[in-house]
Amino acid sequence: MTPGSLFFALKGDTFDGNAFALQALSDGCAYAIVDDPALPDDPRLLRVDSVLEALQGLARLHRETLRTLIVGITGTNGKTTTKELVAAVLARRFRTLCTEGNFNNHIGVPLTLLRLTKAHELAVVEMGANHPGEIRDLCAIARPDCGLITNVGRAHLEGFGSFEGVVRTKGELYDFIRTTGGRIFIDEDNEHLTAIAGGTDSVGYGCAMRPATFIAGQTVDGPPPFLAFAWQERGDDRQHTVTTRLVGGYNLKNALAAVAVGRTFGVPADDISRAIADYTPTNNRSQWMETSRNRLLIDAYNANPSSMRAAIDNFAAWTVAPKAVILGDMYELGEESPSLHAEVVRRLESCGFDRVILCGPRFAAVGGPFTCYPTVDSLSAALAESPLSGYHILIKGSHGMHLERLIAAL
Ligand code: ATP
Ligand code: MG
């Protein structure tokens, strides 16, 4: 406990913060915000109807008192990567705050906002959702001045109901910006996004210079396995080439989004290119690792059908050999889960990888030509017995699979 701080007695699945409020006070907190009427009288206990709503309300109030311009980022894939890139670019010229790690939900967004001070000129706030209405609610708290949707794909279908539900929910960010007359950033190559844009100031980016495109870019040859790309601004013939430390062609769009935001705020082109070149991803998001035996592309941070497809296609296009893929189950796909796992298996069949290993009960239920282990432990044990050696290996699965635990065996 930081002396003098506020303790918010939030409830989770396992713990009720109210049970720790008195301890928080004795450990140095100035006040505890609580919602359990059974707690004893103490002037340092501030009673509210809902601690969560109090946290959100305080964050909203705090945000309203500041002039900081906020860029809100949502989308199915690449939010954190794009958020980090955008913040790195903006930080070259402005005092910038951004979401820490993946704190992107109804608690994380308020906590991010409460870290803002008068000193911050800009903030980049990641907004996540797995149910309709959640982006609308986060916008009501953060009141973003600019909005960026990275992409839309089939994820969290249990909560969203359908792909249309995903598009509508992500679109709540554009809807909010439209009501305030702010600015949106839009991937001009994405027809689902161009269909819901409009009605407000917009800045386009993409792989081709279309009439509404401000920043266009393409991948260029670079040192494998890293993404290199060239970008160009409308009305300027200069090409800027950037060699990144990101792996995966799908990161091109994340980077172009960062260029578009940076140029819109007037960050000089060279500063933008350098900021993107310097960014190194962490936390198993398309991380590159060389072990004594193999070269690993670890993408064990999350997986859904669209990011799975992007990762497989990207890896299939690599001209390295031999190649192995180890894929784990994708979670939260509801009724469509069996067919979406089957689709991945079919895709793998057409890719011609040297080895394919699957892991998890959902892939096991599909059947097919590839070996499938029910758990990470059983796969680890198999790898200990007959190790893979000399391979380039893509590792990807939902967070809950914890495929990163295979690294030791690889
Ligand atoms: P979360 O929903 O967990 O917050 P996120 O949207 O923040 O995820 P990142 O953490 O940036 O996404 O990236 C996670 C993974 O998504 C990456 O490792 C990569 O496999 C994939 N990914 C990133 N960007 C894209 C993209 N533009 N298109 C498709 N897949 C992507
Ligand atoms: Mg994220």
Side-chain angles (χ1 to χ4, degrees):
M1 290 301 145
T2 309
S5 60
L6 294 180
F7 178 80
F8 283 86
L10 291 168
K11 282 191 205 67
D13 293 336
T14 325
F15 293 105
D16 179 349
N18 286 287
F20 302 88
L22 293 173
Q23 190 191 331
L25 293 177
S26 65
D27 287 355
C29 282
Y31 295 97
I33 292 89
V34 297
D35 54 14
D36 181 353
L39 281 165
D41 274 343
D42 186 311
R44 296 170 302 161
L45 291 179
L46 307 182
R47 288 159 200 284
V48 296
D49 290 337
S50 155
V51 170
L52 177 61
E53 281 173 26
L55 176 71
Q56 294 170 335
L58 189 64
R60 187 172 57 231
L61 193 66
H62 181 61
R63 190 273 176 273
E64 278 170 9
T65 64
L66 298 171
R67 280 207 224 115
T68 312
L69 287 176
I70 292 187
V71 180
I73 298 185
T74 190
T76 299
N77 300 307
K79 295 180 292 297
T80 296
T81 310
T82 304
K83 175 260 297 179
E84 295 281 329
L85 290 170
V86 169
V89 162
L90 293 175
R92 295 272 158 161
R93 272 291 178 277
F94 301 98
R95 290 188 297 270
T96 306
L97 179 89
C98 75
T99 299
E100 217 169 273
N102 202 36
F103 274 31
N104 67 14
N105 67 6
H106 57 296
I107 297 170
V109 168
L111 291 178
T112 302
L113 297 173
L114 288 169
R115 285 169 49 229
L116 281 170
T117 70
K118 284 200 182 100
H120 293 116
E121 296 164 289
L122 281 163
V124 187
V125 176
E126 176 174 343
M127 299 179 175
N130 40 31
H131 293 91
E134 286 176 348
I135 296 296
R136 180 199 60 209
D137 294 347
L138 294 178
C139 284
I141 300 169
R143 305 197 62 80
D145 301 279
C146 300
L148 193 165
I149 302 177
T150 56
N151 49 53
V152 283
R154 305 169 86 76
H156 302 296
L157 293 178
E158 280 170 15
F160 287 127
S162 64
F163 177 65
E164 290 65 39
V166 175
V167 178
R168 221 173 310 119
T169 306
K170 307 297 175 190
E172 289 165 5
L173 177 56
Y174 287 172
D175 295 342
F176 177 84
I177 303 288
R178 214 172 276 125
T179 63
T180 60
R183 175 177 287 140
I184 61 175
F185 293 90
I186 164 121
D187 176 354
E188 295 284 336
D189 303 329
N190 189 322
E191 58 189 19
H192 303 292
L193 294 178
T194 51
I196 58 168
T200 194
D201 193 6
S202 83
V203 174
Y205 59 90
C207 291
M209 198 47 100
R210 297 195 173 83
T213 309
F214 173 53
I215 300 292
Q218 300 84 31
T219 50
V220 296
D221 284 339
F226 297 108
L227 167 78
F229 70 101
W231 65 270
Q232 193 183 343
E233 182 171 330
R234 168 164 297 282
D236 186 341
D237 287 341
R238 277 176 304 169
Q239 289 272 340
H240 306 271
T241 305
V242 184
T243 299
T244 73
R245 296 185 201 169
L246 299 162
V247 182
Y250 42 81
N251 279 306
L252 172 65
K253 287 299 177 65
N254 303 341
L256 291 178
V259 174
V261 176
R263 283 304 297 138
T264 300
F265 281 97
V267 180
D270 290 344
D271 283 348
I272 291 177
S273 293
R274 216 165 304 131
I276 296 173
D278 286 347
Y279 173 68
T280 308
T282 53
N283 204 359
N284 305 322
R285 290 182 175 87
S286 305
Q287 246 180 306
W288 180 245
M289 180 187 280
E290 303 197 10
T291 69
S292 56
R293 279 201 292 266
N294 297 292
R295 290 156 183 222
L296 311 181
L297 175 48
I298 306 158
D299 206 344
Y301 179 73
N302 67 12
N304 53 56
S306 52
S307 71
M308 201 60 123
R309 186 183 324 155
I312 292 170
D313 291 354
N314 180 70
F315 193 58
W318 271 21
T319 49
V320 292
K323 285 193 274 191
V325 296
I326 301 179
L327 302 185
D329 279 358
M330 304 176 287
Y331 287 18
E332 284 185 64
L333 294 175
E335 281 174 12
E336 292 187 55
S337 180
S339 65
L340 292 168
H341 282 84
E343 212 174 289
V344 171
V345 171
R346 275 201 303 279
R347 201 169 198 89
L348 290 169
E349 284 178 292
S350 66
C351 285
F353 292 121
D354 300 288
R355 283 288 293 273
V356 174
I357 301 173
L358 302 173
C359 185
R362 294 170 184 82
F363 273 124
V366 172
F370 307 116
T371 317
C372 184
Y373 293 85
T375 61
V376 168
D377 286 339
S378 55
L379 174 52
S380 285
L383 288 169
E385 222 155 78
S386 49
L388 288 179
S389 200
Y391 279 91
H392 291 76
I393 308 176
L394 167 69
I395 303 166
K396 187 170 176 72
S398 271
H399 199 57
M401 287 297 296
H402 292 294
L403 292 186
E404 68 280 359
R405 286 169 41 213
L406 295 171
I407 296 171
L410 293 168

